[in-house]
Every structure is written in C-alpha cells, then in structure tokens.
C-alpha cells in the first residue's frame, strides 16, 4: 500500500533539518520503502517540511518508518500526517 507522509517543520528549524539531512537520506536508502520524496518549501524557497510516499504493507509499518526517521528523532517536525494514497498519474 502507498502512504503519503506529510510533515511540517517546527518554526526556525532549518538548521536541524540541514544537520540531519545526510542521515535522513541514508535512512531512505537503507529502508528501501520510499517511492518518492522531497522537501516542502516555504514562501522563500527554503525547506520547511517533507512529502514522502512510502510503499509498505500496512499503516503500522508506515508509522514505524516515520517514528524512526532521523528527522523525527531529531525533533524536526511540528506535525506529521500519514494518509493512505492512490497513485493515478505518473
């Protein structure tokens, strides 16, 4: 199943994001369940959140992935939503 993880960063947390980016990208590669991903941008074009499409067996697996993401462990996010998603185009 596909799950969209939509997360917004805490205000003023760009340095936290940048400091943990390499670990986050390594986690994506290591886990092998990310179908698509990229940062959400603020009005200045700076990274301010994440959109990650996970290909997992269950919502519980998506939650486990989200909980263990280095960004989450670093306390980057103000909120995280996990929503079942259906690919229609692309």
């Amino acid at each position: 199943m596909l799950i969209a993880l939509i997360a917004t960063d805490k205000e003023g947390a760009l340095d936290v994001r940048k400091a943990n980016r390499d670990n986050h990208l390594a986690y994506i590669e290591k886990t092998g369940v990310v179908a698509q991903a990229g940062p959400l941008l603020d009005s200045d074009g700076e990274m301010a959140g994440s959109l990650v499409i996970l290909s997992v067996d269950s919502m519980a697996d998506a939650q486990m992935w989200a909980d263990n993401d280095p960004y989450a462990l670093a306390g980057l996010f103000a909120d995280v939503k996990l929503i079942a998603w259906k690919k229609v185009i692309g």
Side-chain angles (χ1 to χ4, degrees):
M1 75 186 301
L2 296 173
I3 305 293
L5 180 155
I6 303 169
T8 53
D9 296 357
K10 291 178 181 171
E11 191 73 29
L14 184 57
D15 289 340
V16 174
R17 175 175 279 277
K18 288 179 177 179
N20 289 279
R21 186 168 170 78
D22 288 344
N23 288 338
H24 168 73
L25 295 174
Y27 179 67
I28 287 174
E29 186 173 334
K30 179 179 117 182
T31 57
V33 298
V34 175
Q36 298 179 24
L40 302 175
L41 305 177
D42 65 15
S43 60
D44 295 324
E46 294 288 347
M47 295 179 289
S50 297
L51 172 60
V52 180
I53 304 299
L54 300 168
S55 180
V56 292
D57 291 330
S58 67
M59 187 62 78
D61 289 341
Q63 186 66 61
M64 184 180 305
W65 190 95
D67 291 345
N68 290 291
D69 179 359
Y71 280 164
L73 295 174
L76 173 63
F77 299 130
D79 64 80
V80 177
K81 295 178 184 172
L82 293 170
I83 304 167
W85 182 69
K86 180 179 178 181
K87 182 178 179 180
V88 175
I89 298 172

